[in-house]
Amino acid sequence: MITVEPYDDHYSTVEINILPVVYEGILTKRMGLKVYPLFNYQINPEINNSISHTGAGLSLPVYFKEREEILPYSGLFMGPHLGYTYNQTDMNNSLTYSADFGWNFLLKEKFAFIIDMQYGRTIIYNKTAGINVPHLGVFAQFGIWL
């Protein structure tokens, strides 16, 4: 996961999640539970590179196509997403709430390629103030269903 934060104090910052592991469990024949850690390494030519954001994301993807008993989910999905991070560089918290939608392409019985987009809002806050900014995330993922 690669993130560019236009509202960050350090405008030219690029962040890479160095722990890009996503777990998606089966809740029903059409709904999953997706959880992932955020452990971002900040790259910026103006300041020292370091770990910046730490946190987690949670999504409830609802698939339009019902899964078969032995196969993982596939096809079009959408659902709610929540994310929380603490920015160690700027010492603030952020809470993201968005719609999560995309397509899960099942390549073989256990391998998948996922295109995922999030659209919503992020509340960035510290002890004294908070701002509410737009959130747009686009992700391309390869997955192995265990």
Side-chain angles (χ1 to χ4, degrees):
M1 298 175 137
I2 298 172
T3 305
V4 178
E5 297 277 352
Y7 302 100
D8 196 7
D9 288 344
H10 317 285
Y11 186 73
S12 56
T13 298
V14 173
E15 297 183 6
I16 300 171
N17 186 357
I18 59 174
L19 193 58
V21 177
V22 177
Y23 169 78
E24 184 169 353
I26 297 168
L27 293 179
T28 70
K29 289 188 177 240
R30 290 190 181 202
M31 184 187 298
L33 171 68
K34 196 180 331 184
V35 180
Y36 58 90
L38 288 166
F39 201 69
N40 288 359
Y41 185 75
Q42 175 179 272
I43 300 170
N44 186 314
E46 301 168 12
I47 59 175
N48 291 333
N49 297 337
S50 64
I51 299 297
S52 60
H53 288 80
T54 54
L58 171 73
S59 296
L60 289 170
V62 177
Y63 290 84
F64 286 78
K65 178 182 171 190
E66 191 172 286
R67 71 181 279 280
E68 297 176 29
E69 289 299 321
I70 61 168
L71 294 176
Y73 298 115
S74 65
L76 182 66
F77 64 88
M78 65 183 342
H81 168 78
L82 283 175
Y84 167 80
T85 60
Y86 176 70
N87 184 331
Q88 299 176 59
T89 307
D90 297 333
M91 308 216 20
N92 61 36
N93 298 283
S94 65
L95 179 65
T96 298
Y97 56 97
S98 63
D100 186 19
F101 53 96
W103 195 281
N104 186 338
F105 298 94
L106 197 56
L107 302 176
K108 288 194 176 186
E109 191 173 292
K110 297 284 185 177
F111 297 94
F113 175 67
I114 300 116
I115 299 290
D116 195 357
M117 178 180 265
Q118 297 169 354
Y119 181 74
R121 306 290 295 178
T122 296
I123 302 167
I124 302 170
Y125 57 95
N126 60 26
K127 292 179 183 176
T128 59
I131 61 171
N132 190 326
V133 297
H135 169 78
L136 175 64
V138 179
F139 309 103
Q141 307 157 358
F142 286 98
I144 299 171
W145 290 87
L146 302 174

